[in-house]
Amino acid sequence: MNTTLTTERKNQLVSFCKTAGIKIQNLELLDLAFYHRSSSNENKKSHEKSNNERLEFLGDSVLGLVTASWLYTNLPDYKEGELAKIKSVVVSEKILAPNALRLGIDKLLVLGHGEEITGGRKKPAILADCMEAVIGAYYLDSGFEAAREYVLSFIVPEIKKVLENGTKDFKTLLQELTQKKFKVFPVYELLDTKGPEHEKIFTFNVRIGDKVFGPVSGSSKKDAEQKLAEQVYNELKKI
């Protein structure tokens, strides 16, 4: 990573901070949060510290702790298993990636050429990882309390949605719906797998009786199936 930020890059980072509602003194540390490993993998002279993986590791832990602490404190009547389900929903790629897009993280990402041409800026896994890296950078720069307030600013609204809508995943909801309406179970079919081992893209369709829905792709089999189930569930619920 280039340790000398251009004026344009500094302005981009300052603008990001305003949008995110955070204040970071060390802009170079924040800048590191946007460097995907593909950018350093293509540079033979690069060092592991030239990508955001370590910050992502740290940010993931801060995110998990802040969320778990809020759930424990604010939902005293919920059992451990219920708290764990809520946490698994809100601390997920599905929640983090849209928030990353809302903040414009996709425009700040630094990717390798291969990742760039395969649409890396819009990949949920990359966006979610970068969100965690930003949390890690903010924690190092401004301390736990500041990072906590930032995490809660976007996690608490998501928790409230889960409390309103329940914690059932869309595969479960779709299965319940198809059994009730059509007396059949959905059958998921893997159509294709593409990409390198560490960043494969899986494509599925789902068969419900004699009808086939899809295809839908995701960064894991579970992610693709959930996206597909959500799409079909919302469609069939209208019938």
Side-chain angles (χ1 to χ4, degrees), residues 49-106:
K49 289 185 178 179
S50 63
N51 64 55
N52 66 5
E53 288 187 322
R54 286 169 54 84
L55 286 175
E56 174 202 333
F57 163 78
L58 181 60
D60 175 65
S61 296
V62 174
L63 173 63
L65 175 59
V66 170
T67 304
S69 178
W70 192 95
L71 292 170
Y72 180 87
T73 302
N74 291 275
L75 302 177
D77 297 328
Y78 281 64
K79 296 179 180 179
E80 182 273 340
E82 295 171 317
L83 296 175
K85 285 182 179 179
I86 296 172
K87 180 172 176 285
S88 70
V89 172
V90 299
V91 181
S92 67
E93 181 180 298
K94 181 180 178 181
I95 298 302
L96 295 177
N99 273 286
L101 285 173
R102 178 178 59 81
L103 295 174
I105 280 179
D106 54 317

Side-chain angles (χ1 to χ4, degrees), residues 212-227:
V212 178
F213 299 85
V216 170
S217 299
S219 57
S220 68
K221 291 181 180 179
K222 181 179 179 181
D223 177 52
E225 288 178 344
Q226 285 290 347
K227 287 179 179 177

Side-chain angles (χ1 to χ4, degrees), residues 1-2 4 6 10 16 40-42 48 57 92 121 135 144 158 161 166 190 195 197 201 209-210 220-221 223:
M1 185 188 73
N2 186 353
T4 303
T6 65
K10 284 181 181 179
F16 168 79
S40 56
N41 287 344
E42 293 180 8
E48 65 172 0
F57 163 78
S92 67
R121 290 186 184 278
I135 294 168
F144 180 75
E158 299 298 342
K161 288 179 186 177
L190 178 62
E197 192 62 36
I201 298 296
D210 59 355
S220 68
K221 291 181 180 179
D223 177 52

Side-chain angles (χ1 to χ4, degrees), residues 38-49:
S38 62
S39 65
S40 56
N41 287 344
E42 293 180 8
N43 182 357
K44 295 180 180 179
K45 294 181 180 180
S46 70
H47 187 270
E48 65 172 0
K49 289 185 178 179

Side-chain angles (χ1 to χ4, degrees), residues 8 18 32 42 67 121-122 132 152 187 212 216 221 229:
E8 180 182 5
K18 289 180 180 178
L32 177 59
E42 293 180 8
T67 304
R121 290 186 184 278
K122 300 298 181 182
E132 291 177 339
L152 292 180
V187 178
V212 178
V216 170
K221 291 181 180 179

Side-chain angles (χ1 to χ4, degrees), residues 17-18 20-27 30 137-138 141-143 146:
C17 288
K18 289 180 180 178
I22 61 178
K23 295 180 180 179
I24 291 184
Q25 299 299 317
N26 189 343
L27 290 179
L30 176 61
Y138 193 35
D141 181 87
S142 302

